Short mmCIF file of all heavy atoms in Angstrom, two decimals:
data_model
loop_
_atom_site.label_atom_id
_atom_site.label_comp_id
_atom_site.label_asym_id
_atom_site.label_seq_id
_atom_site.Cartn_x
_atom_site.Cartn_y
_atom_site.Cartn_z
N SER A 181 -3.53 3.94 -5.02
CA SER A 181 -2.15 4.19 -4.58
C SER A 181 -2.15 5.29 -3.54
O SER A 181 -3.09 6.07 -3.43
CB SER A 181 -1.26 4.56 -5.77
OG SER A 181 -1.75 5.73 -6.37
N LEU A 188 -0.42 16.16 -2.96
CA LEU A 188 -0.92 16.78 -1.73
C LEU A 188 -0.56 18.26 -1.70
O LEU A 188 -1.38 19.12 -1.37
CB LEU A 188 -0.30 16.07 -0.51
CG LEU A 188 -0.79 14.64 -0.26
CD1 LEU A 188 0.17 13.89 0.65
CD2 LEU A 188 -2.18 14.65 0.36
N ARG A 196 2.78 23.04 7.04
CA ARG A 196 3.56 23.87 7.96
C ARG A 196 4.87 24.25 7.27
O ARG A 196 5.21 23.69 6.25
CB ARG A 196 4.01 23.09 9.21
CG ARG A 196 2.97 22.60 10.13
CD ARG A 196 3.65 21.87 11.32
NE ARG A 196 4.64 22.71 11.99
CZ ARG A 196 4.36 23.62 12.90
NH1 ARG A 196 3.12 23.81 13.27
NH2 ARG A 196 5.33 24.35 13.45
N VAL A 215 -11.40 20.08 10.73
CA VAL A 215 -12.52 20.04 11.67
C VAL A 215 -12.36 18.86 12.63
O VAL A 215 -11.68 17.88 12.31
CB VAL A 215 -13.88 19.88 10.94
CG1 VAL A 215 -14.17 21.09 10.05
CG2 VAL A 215 -13.92 18.59 10.11
N VAL A 231 -13.16 13.65 6.83
CA VAL A 231 -13.87 13.25 8.06
C VAL A 231 -15.28 12.79 7.70
O VAL A 231 -15.75 11.75 8.18
CB VAL A 231 -13.88 14.42 9.08
CG1 VAL A 231 -14.76 14.09 10.28
CG2 VAL A 231 -12.46 14.75 9.54
N LEU A 238 -18.09 4.26 7.81
CA LEU A 238 -18.41 3.53 9.04
C LEU A 238 -19.91 3.23 9.18
O LEU A 238 -20.28 2.30 9.90
CB LEU A 238 -17.87 4.28 10.26
CG LEU A 238 -16.32 4.41 10.27
CD1 LEU A 238 -15.84 5.02 11.58
CD2 LEU A 238 -15.61 3.07 10.03
N VAL A 241 -20.05 -0.19 7.86
CA VAL A 241 -19.47 -1.15 8.81
C VAL A 241 -20.47 -1.42 9.94
O VAL A 241 -20.69 -2.58 10.33
CB VAL A 241 -18.13 -0.61 9.40
CG1 VAL A 241 -17.56 -1.59 10.43
CG2 VAL A 241 -17.12 -0.35 8.28
N ILE A 251 -15.90 -1.84 18.38
CA ILE A 251 -14.56 -1.80 19.01
C ILE A 251 -13.61 -0.84 18.28
O ILE A 251 -12.42 -0.79 18.56
CB ILE A 251 -13.93 -3.22 19.08
CG1 ILE A 251 -13.75 -3.83 17.68
CG2 ILE A 251 -14.76 -4.14 19.98
CD1 ILE A 251 -12.87 -5.08 17.68
N THR A 254 -9.49 5.41 17.45
CA THR A 254 -8.44 6.00 16.62
C THR A 254 -7.24 6.42 17.45
O THR A 254 -7.38 6.76 18.63
CB THR A 254 -8.97 7.20 15.81
OG1 THR A 254 -7.92 7.69 14.98
CG2 THR A 254 -9.44 8.33 16.72
N HIS A 281 -0.24 12.21 7.35
CA HIS A 281 -1.10 12.72 8.43
C HIS A 281 -1.04 14.24 8.51
O HIS A 281 -1.96 14.87 9.02
CB HIS A 281 -0.68 12.12 9.78
CG HIS A 281 -1.08 10.70 9.97
ND1 HIS A 281 -2.37 10.33 10.28
CD2 HIS A 281 -0.38 9.54 9.88
CE1 HIS A 281 -2.43 9.01 10.39
NE2 HIS A 281 -1.24 8.50 10.15
N LYS A 292 -10.39 -2.19 19.92
CA LYS A 292 -10.46 -2.42 21.38
C LYS A 292 -9.34 -1.68 22.09
O LYS A 292 -8.72 -2.20 23.01
CB LYS A 292 -10.33 -3.92 21.67
CG LYS A 292 -11.64 -4.58 22.02
CD LYS A 292 -11.42 -6.01 22.47
CE LYS A 292 -12.74 -6.75 22.38
NZ LYS A 292 -12.56 -8.19 22.43
N GLY A 293 -9.00 -0.51 21.60
CA GLY A 293 -7.94 0.28 22.22
C GLY A 293 -6.53 -0.14 21.86
O GLY A 293 -5.56 0.47 22.30
N GLY A 299 5.21 -2.85 11.09
CA GLY A 299 6.43 -3.47 10.58
C GLY A 299 6.62 -4.94 10.87
O GLY A 299 7.67 -5.50 10.56
N LEU A 310 -12.02 -4.34 7.78
CA LEU A 310 -12.27 -2.90 7.65
C LEU A 310 -11.69 -2.34 6.34
O LEU A 310 -12.26 -1.44 5.73
CB LEU A 310 -11.62 -2.20 8.85
CG LEU A 310 -11.98 -0.75 9.08
CD1 LEU A 310 -13.48 -0.61 9.39
CD2 LEU A 310 -11.15 -0.17 10.22
N GLY A 322 -2.44 1.11 4.58
CA GLY A 322 -0.99 1.11 4.78
C GLY A 322 -0.34 -0.25 4.97
O GLY A 322 0.87 -0.34 5.14
N VAL A 323 -1.12 -1.33 4.92
CA VAL A 323 -0.54 -2.66 5.11
C VAL A 323 0.51 -2.96 4.04
O VAL A 323 1.44 -3.74 4.27
CB VAL A 323 -1.65 -3.75 5.12
CG1 VAL A 323 -2.13 -4.09 3.72
CG2 VAL A 323 -1.22 -5.01 5.86
N LYS A 348 -14.68 19.74 -4.29
CA LYS A 348 -14.85 19.52 -2.84
C LYS A 348 -13.71 20.10 -2.02
O LYS A 348 -13.79 20.15 -0.79
CB LYS A 348 -14.96 18.01 -2.56
CG LYS A 348 -16.25 17.39 -3.05
CD LYS A 348 -16.31 15.94 -2.63
CE LYS A 348 -17.63 15.30 -3.00
NZ LYS A 348 -17.65 13.87 -2.65
#
Side-chain angles (χ1 to χ4, degrees):
S181 60
L188 290 162
R196 295 181 55 82
V215 296
V231 173
L238 297 187
V241 178
I251 60 167
T254 183
H281 285 283
K292 257 187 198 164
L310 192 63
V323 78
K348 290 184 175 177

